[in-house]
Amino acid sequence: MNSFKSVILVLALVILATSCHDKSVRNYQYMPNMYESVGYETYGEADFLPNQAEALVPPANTVNRGWLPYEIENSPEGKELARLQSSPLDSLNTDENLAKGDQLYTIYCAICHGDKGDGQGTLVKREKILGVPSYADPVRNVTVGTTYYTIHYGLNSMGSYASQMNTEEMWQVSEYVMQLKQDLTK
């Protein structure tokens, strides 16, 4: 009889405990940060960080790794100055630079400009982008300096690729474009 009373008592306690449970509210949170994350505003204050701010502005007069400031301004006069600029890459490593430029050109440029530089890339053939001229077009007067300038700043509907490639890679692509131009004008 005592066991029957104890079973009834335990059953009553279980019913009492579950009857007070509200299903719309969580009962216990063992790790509350897993349920409710702590978000920080991008430029807001955060007391545990240095200077109490997240996403600080880079220090003055600093340059990212692999990127050098381009001293020619983005203007028509700057483009004419760039026309006279030559490639700073080592002329003894021309084959390596052209091979790397070929790879980068295939990744970033060939989709519009075509594998041969004839302006017949996949997007042009599908008429997604119009007006991509050939490198052999004599009106364009393409030089290695203007090619770098265009990759760095962009031109017309082509955006800048300065954030995707570092300085050396942009020069490698520029040299490869000159190789494509020579192949087209033979």
Side-chain angles (χ1 to χ4, degrees):
M1 191 67 152
N2 282 338
S3 65
F4 182 70
K5 287 182 182 178
S6 61
V7 169
I8 297 289
L9 182 63
V10 169
L11 188 60
L13 286 175
V14 169
I15 291 172
L16 180 66
T18 58
S19 66
C20 297
H21 178 67
D22 184 6
K23 291 184 180 182
S24 65
V25 178
R26 287 193 180 107
N27 205 5
Y28 292 104
Q29 289 184 1
Y30 293 105
M31 296 181 186
N33 287 344
M34 298 286 287
Y35 296 104
E36 300 166 11
S37 65
V38 180
Y40 300 103
E41 291 296 323
T42 305
Y43 296 103
E45 293 181 9
D47 56 352
F48 64 91
L49 293 172
N51 299 333
Q52 286 73 38
E54 188 177 355
L56 298 173
V57 177
N61 302 320
T62 59
V63 177
N64 294 339
R65 286 186 183 164
W67 188 84
L68 296 173
Y70 192 45
E71 56 278 343
I72 297 177
E73 66 179 18
N74 187 9
S75 68
E77 295 82 16
K79 187 169 183 183
E80 290 306 315
L81 283 174
R83 187 173 307 286
L84 306 173
Q85 192 175 21
S86 62
S87 175
L89 298 179
D90 187 9
S91 61
L92 298 176
N93 296 332
T94 303
D95 294 334
E96 294 172 16
N97 289 333
L98 288 176
K100 183 68 176 172
D102 180 14
Q103 292 174 348
L104 293 168
Y105 180 87
T106 303
I107 293 170
Y108 296 111
C109 312
I111 192 76
C112 296
H113 292 278
D115 292 327
K116 299 176 184 175
D118 56 358
Q120 294 300 312
T122 305
L123 293 179
V124 173
K125 289 178 183 175
R126 293 182 183 173
E127 297 181 355
K128 303 293 181 186
I129 296 177
L130 300 174
V132 178
S134 171
Y135 294 135
D137 188 7
V139 177
R140 293 188 65 203
N141 192 16
V142 178
T143 66
V144 71
T146 58
T147 305
Y148 181 86
Y149 176 89
T150 303
I151 293 170
H152 191 275
Y153 288 120
L155 181 67
N156 298 333
S157 62
M158 177 183 149
S160 170
Y161 282 84
S163 62
Q164 284 91 353
M165 294 185 273
N166 62 29
T167 305
E168 182 182 10
E169 291 172 339
M170 289 189 284
W171 280 113
Q172 288 168 340
V173 171
S174 300
E175 286 187 358
Y176 183 71
V177 166
M178 292 296 98
Q179 180 69 38
L180 290 176
K181 180 183 176 183
Q182 286 178 356
D183 293 344
L184 285 172
T185 55
K186 285 182 182 178

